[in-house]
Amino acid sequence: MPTPAGGGMHWTLEEAQALYDAPFNDLLFQAHSVHRQNFDPNRVQLSRLLSVKTGGCPEDCGYCSQSAHYPSGLKASKLMEVERVVAEARKARDAGATRYCMGAAWRGPKARDMDAVAAMIEGVKALGMETCMTLGMLDLDQARRLKQAGLDYYNHNIDTSERYYGEIITTRCFADRLETLANVRASGIKVCCGGIVGMGEQTIDRVDMLVTLANLPEHPESVPINMLIPIEGTPLAKAEPIEPIAFVRLIALARILMPKSVIRLSAGRTAMSDEMQALCFFAGANSIFVGDTLLTAENPGEDKDSALFSRLGIQPMELPTR
Ligand code: SAM
Ligand code: DTB
Ligand code: SF4
C-alpha cells in the first residue's frame, strides 16, 4: 500500500554516492526540483523541543551532554510535572510552533513513567498541536500505549552508519534502534528518524546512513539531520566539524532519496551561517527547531530565525486541516 511518506525503493550505496558526488549545481538542481514537486518551497515547518527529563542517562552516546558517563557538568533532573509541560507547550504554540517534541534522557521509559508520559501527550494534543516524543527504546506495547494517548510522531535516530555506530555508542547496537523503529511503525505512530554528522565519520558513513533510512519499508515521515554540537567533557568535544558544502550535499541527497519526507535542519544551526541555512532550504530542508534551546544546547532563537525567514521570503508551514 503506498504511504504518504513514500518508500519501497531500494537504493544501493553506489547509486547514492554517485548522486552525492555529482557537480554541486547538478545535485542542487535535482534536489530542488524534487523538493518543488512535493512541497511548497517557501514553507518551513516549526517544531519546539522540551527536555521533560534531563541528564543522568545510563547510555554512553559519545556526543551527548545527558549521558551519566561523561563530566559535561549538566545537572540531572526528575521527570517534569505534566501541568508545566502543557504550559510550556502553550507558549510554543502561541509563538507559532505546530509540533511539540518532548525528550527524556532514558534508555527507554519504565512502566512507572507511562501514565505521566501519556498525560503529557493528551495535554499537548488538546492544545491543537502535533505531538512528538523521544524517550529511547520502546517495545510494541509501549508504542501502542503512546499511540492510544494520541502521539503523532516518535523520534528515534539511527545517528550514523551501522559500521560507525560502535565507535559512538556501546550500550546498545544499531539493530536495537531498528527494532524500536519497527515497533513505532507497527503501532501506527509516524516515524521521525535521522542522525548526526560531524562525529569523525567518513562521507561514506553519512551516505550509508541516508541509504539505511531510504531503504526502510516506509520512509520516515520526518528526517532530522543534526550537525554535532560539541559538548565539553564528552568524547566528541573536539571532533572535526563537517565542512558546510558537504553538509548541504547531504541535505540534497536526503531530499532526493526521500522525496516526500520532511527534512529537518536540526541541531547545530547556531554554528551555521545564514547563507548555509539558505542553501539547505534550497536543497530541500523544510523544518527547523525554534526557540533558544534545543534539549540542553543552544539554538538561534526566535528573533534571529524570523529575521532570516523574512530575508528569504519563507513562511511557517501550517498544520494540515484535519
Ligand atoms: N534518549 C533518547 C534517545 O537517545 O533516543 C532521546 C533523546 S536524544 C538527546 C535525541 C537525539 O538528539 C539523539 O539521538 C541525537 O541524534 C541528538 N543529539 C543529542 N546530542 C546531540 C549533540 N550534541 N549534537 C547533535 N545532536 C545531538
Ligand atoms: C533530533 O534529531 N534532534 C533533537 C531531537 N531529535 C530530539 C535533539 C537535538 C539535541 C541537541 C543537543 C541538546 O540540546 O542537548
Ligand atoms: Fe541518553 Fe539519548 Fe543522550 Fe544517548 S542521546 S545519552 S540515550 S539522552
Side-chain angles (χ1 to χ4, degrees):
M1 194 176 74
T3 63
M9 287 277 292
H10 185 84
W11 289 92
T12 65
L13 190 55
E14 292 69 30
E15 286 165 343
Q17 183 75 49
L19 285 168
Y20 179 92
D21 287 333
F24 188 70
N25 287 341
D26 291 345
L27 173 62
L28 255 68
F29 180 71
Q30 188 179 346
H32 187 71
S33 306
V34 170
H35 191 47
R36 269 182 187 265
Q37 281 156 22
N38 293 287
F39 292 100
D40 178 339
N42 302 311
R43 295 256 179 197
V44 167
Q45 188 270 335
L46 310 184
S47 290
R48 182 75 163 91
L49 271 169
L50 177 69
S51 179
V52 297
K53 197 274 164 211
T54 306
C57 184
E59 303 281 68
D60 70 352
C61 312
Y63 47 77
C64 189
S65 64
Q66 306 198 69
S67 167
H69 295 255
Y70 315 119
S72 70
L74 187 78
K75 209 174 139 267
S77 62
K78 289 197 298 200
L79 187 61
M80 271 172 80
E81 297 286 327
V82 176
E83 292 70 27
R84 270 189 64 208
V85 173
V86 177
E88 291 298 320
R90 185 176 291 112
K91 283 191 233 162
R93 182 197 64 183
D94 295 345
T98 54
R99 191 177 308 165
Y100 206 61
C101 308
M102 295 157 271
W106 287 328
R107 177 173 164 82
K110 301 243 173 9
R112 62 167 187 265
D113 304 315
M114 292 304 284
D115 285 347
V117 158
M120 288 174 191
I121 297 168
E122 283 157 11
V124 174
K125 257 209 105 68
L127 299 172
M129 299 179 88
E130 289 181 319
T131 52
C132 177
M133 284 201 151
T134 179
L135 314 172
M137 294 187 247
L138 292 185
D139 62 30
L140 186 55
D141 283 345
Q142 289 172 319
R144 285 187 176 137
R145 175 84 204 276
L146 299 181
K147 170 72 185 171
Q148 220 172 30
L151 189 67
D152 296 301
Y153 289 83
Y154 195 77
N155 167 247
H156 199 67
N157 293 338
I158 58 169
D159 279 339
T160 188
S161 66
E162 184 168 12
R163 182 194 74 86
Y164 198 62
Y165 200 80
E167 304 287 321
I168 304 295
I169 301 148
T170 69
T171 49
R172 54 172 193 259
C173 63
F174 200 74
D176 293 329
R177 290 313 256 190
L178 297 178
E179 195 179 314
T180 291
L181 289 169
N183 291 338
V184 171
R185 189 51 96 193
S187 74
I189 299 172
K190 296 191 198 77
V191 173
C192 171
C193 183
I196 311 180
V197 293
M199 301 193 294
E201 73 285 342
Q202 308 285 308
T203 302
I204 192 87
D205 294 304
R206 298 170 189 157
V207 172
D208 195 18
M209 173 178 91
L210 294 184
V211 167
T212 299
L213 297 174
N215 286 343
L216 288 171
E218 292 173 49
H219 291 164
E221 281 78 2
S222 178
V223 178
I225 307 292
N226 297 278
M227 189 171 86
L228 178 75
I229 301 180
I231 309 279
E232 262 331 299
T234 64
L236 292 173
K238 301 277 178 287
E240 181 75 21
I242 179 170
E243 186 267 312
I245 298 290
F247 187 87
V248 177
R249 280 184 179 275
L250 208 69
I251 297 283
L253 181 62
R255 169 50 65 228
I256 296 167
L257 298 188
M258 293 169 279
K260 294 183 191 301
S261 302
V262 169
I263 311 288
R264 183 168 308 110
L265 194 53
S266 247
R269 289 194 304 113
T270 46
M272 294 178 196
S273 68
D274 287 354
E275 295 78 8
M276 178 175 169
Q277 294 185 62
L279 273 177
C280 289
F281 295 135
F282 185 77
N286 57 348
S287 170
I288 58 168
F289 284 120
V290 288
D292 28 301
T293 27
L294 292 162
L295 289 172
T296 70
E298 275 194 346
N299 200 44
E302 213 211 310
D303 292 354
K304 244 184 143 232
D305 284 337
S306 46
L308 176 61
F309 275 23
S310 123
R311 284 165 70 208
L312 299 177
I314 288 177
Q315 304 275 333
M317 204 186 279
E318 276 156 22
L319 274 181
T321 38
R322 279 176 286 188

